[in-house]
């Protein structure tokens, strides 16, 4: 691990945004050391927050040890597996309470490669007149793609995107991915405590809330690679509950307010 030491507040002085990259982990001990090195390479000025749910493989303890010698690295420990959605919310709340300007989230399994971090960050402010509140690492715009999936996962992902774009009136092409950058000023307008989704539908629900807060959103292409190390946490029950939550949010679209 070669995270650079002692940079966080330099960004304020030079008028650069303070950036927090959040990584939710559950049994990612094999991936996390490699991932943190790559994040350091592609986003050297960013701080990193690992949100670990008491992973049985010791991911959290490993992170804690590293953080002792690495001021840019922070660990948030939760008592058990509480779902990716709630982990991302915890990362957003941390960013808000610690004065960061941008908060990014990405998976730990290299499906989201850190090489795209500069594009996500640059996309937030391409020109003064075009500033964005949400940048999405997108598999479904020109230049984006998915590697290593079979027909079933392609179909499920396309279907959930179609379903949520239509029901929730979302304009981005990739509404289900979790490689994103948010402006914390925008998140202050969103009541994060009201988010219902604990798991998969979190990605659509937060975009819906951001749209209702008039967020300016854009996408930058990524190549999404299937995980090579570690074990999948996909849960079919959670996928069904996601469909229901998106449907009920869609009904709320029809109500005023
Ligand atoms: N803190 C926390 N992290 C989680 C939880 N569930 C999943 N994660 C992490 O969230 C990210 C995405 O989970 P994955 O298991 O890769 O889910 P997926 O990408 O849909 O499925 P595969 O890549 O096929 O395994 C990974 O970094 C996981 O370690 C959870 O309950 N709590
Ligand atoms: Mg994954």
């Amino acid at each position: 691990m070669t995270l650079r030491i002692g940079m966080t507040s330099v960004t304020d002085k030079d008028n650069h945004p303070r950036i927090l990259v959040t990584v939710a982990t559950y049994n990612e001990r094999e991936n996390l050391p490699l991932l943190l090195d790559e994040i350091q390479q592609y986003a050297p000025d960013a701080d990193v927050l690992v949100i670990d749910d008491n992973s049985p493989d010791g991911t959290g303890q490993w992170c804690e040890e590293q953080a002792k010698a690495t001021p840019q690295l922070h660990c948030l420990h939760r008592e058990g597996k509480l779902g990716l959605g709630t982990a991302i919310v915890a990362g957003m709340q941390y960013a808000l309470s610690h004065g960061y300007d941008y908060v990014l989230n990405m998976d730990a399994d290299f499906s989201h490669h850190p090489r795209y971090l500069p594009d996500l960050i640059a996309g937030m402010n391409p020109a003064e007149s075009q500033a964005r509140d949400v940048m999405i690492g997108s598999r479904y715009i020109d230049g984006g793609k998915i590697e290593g999936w079979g027909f079933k996962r392609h179909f499920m992902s396309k279907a959930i995107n179609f379903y949520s774009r239509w029901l929730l009136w979302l304009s981005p092409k990739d509404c289900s991915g979790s490689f994103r950058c948010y402006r914390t000023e925008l998140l202050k307008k969103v009541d994060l405590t009201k988010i219902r989704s604990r798991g998969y539908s979190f990605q659509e629900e937060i975009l819906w809330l951001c749209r209702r807060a008039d967020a300016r959103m854009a996408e930058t292409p990524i190549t999404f690679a299937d995980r090579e190390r570690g074990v999948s946490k996909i849960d079919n029950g959670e996928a069904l509950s996601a469909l229901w939550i998106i449907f009920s949010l869609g009904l709320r679209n029809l109500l005023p307010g």
Side-chain angles (χ1 to χ4, degrees):
M1 262 278 303
T2 53
L3 281 182
R4 192 151 63 90
I5 291 175
M7 48 54 62
T8 46
S9 54
V10 178
T11 50
D12 286 338
K13 192 173 71 192
D14 294 346
N15 212 16
H16 292 147
R18 288 192 67 215
I19 300 171
L20 181 69
V21 177
T22 67
V23 183
T25 55
Y26 192 76
N27 286 344
E28 302 287 1
R29 176 69 184 81
E30 284 179 273
N31 285 309
L32 193 60
L34 303 168
L35 186 81
L36 293 181
D37 278 348
E38 297 275 343
I39 293 175
Q40 157 65 17
Q41 187 184 327
Y42 288 100
D45 289 340
D47 285 0
V48 178
L49 176 71
V50 173
I51 305 128
D52 185 72
D53 281 1
N54 203 8
S55 296
D57 74 350
T59 307
Q61 286 95 312
W62 180 86
C63 184
E64 201 56 49
E65 281 304 308
Q66 293 301 309
K68 283 183 193 153
T70 317
Q72 271 179 272
L73 177 63
H74 310 279
C75 316
L76 196 65
H77 300 282
R78 307 195 303 171
E79 70 271 25
K81 193 172 184 316
L82 297 172
L84 175 59
T86 66
I88 294 175
V89 169
M92 290 173 163
Q93 285 165 333
Y94 184 100
L96 286 164
S97 62
H98 288 77
Y100 290 94
D101 300 301
Y102 301 164
V103 56
L104 292 101
N105 51 255
M106 64 191 296
D107 292 354
D109 59 359
F110 279 93
S111 288
H112 301 148
H113 199 284
R115 76 170 75 94
Y116 300 111
L117 289 170
D119 292 341
L120 283 166
I121 294 165
M124 296 295 282
N125 243 340
E128 211 46 60
S129 57
Q130 284 182 339
R132 275 89 178 240
D133 302 304
V134 184
M135 277 300 295
I136 298 173
S138 178
R139 302 160 293 179
Y140 295 130
I141 58 169
D142 281 350
K145 64 174 191 269
I146 295 170
E147 285 172 351
W149 276 8
F151 173 80
K152 187 175 156 204
R153 282 200 78 177
H154 273 290
F155 176 79
M156 281 169 56
S157 175
K158 285 261 169 66
I160 193 77
N161 266 290
F162 176 78
Y163 178 75
S164 48
R165 290 181 75 219
W166 184 70
L167 271 171
L168 303 183
W169 309 346
L170 297 173
S171 56
K173 295 264 167 45
D174 192 339
C175 298
S176 58
S178 55
F179 197 8
R180 297 187 187 157
C181 181
Y182 300 86
R183 192 180 291 277
T184 51
E185 275 306 310
L186 183 273
L187 293 179
K188 286 179 190 163
K189 295 192 236 162
V190 171
D191 188 352
L192 296 173
T193 61
K194 290 245 169 73
I195 293 182
R196 288 174 53 195
S197 310
R198 301 172 70 80
Y200 293 120
S201 55
F202 170 81
Q203 308 305 341
E204 292 83 0
E205 184 168 1
I206 185 79
L207 277 192
W208 179 71
L209 290 167
C210 288
R211 177 179 73 67
R212 286 161 75 100
D214 297 323
R216 300 155 295 182
M217 304 190 205
E219 297 176 87
T220 182
I222 61 160
T223 295
F224 177 101
D226 205 9
R227 77 158 60 236
E228 285 178 10
R229 289 170 293 269
V231 178
S232 173
K233 285 105 212 167
I234 280 185
D235 175 335
N236 288 334
E238 203 174 282
L240 278 179
S241 123
L243 291 178
W244 169 245
I245 291 176
I246 294 169
F247 181 73
S248 57
L249 293 176
L251 289 181
R252 280 183 48 199
N253 257 345
L254 305 173
L255 302 172

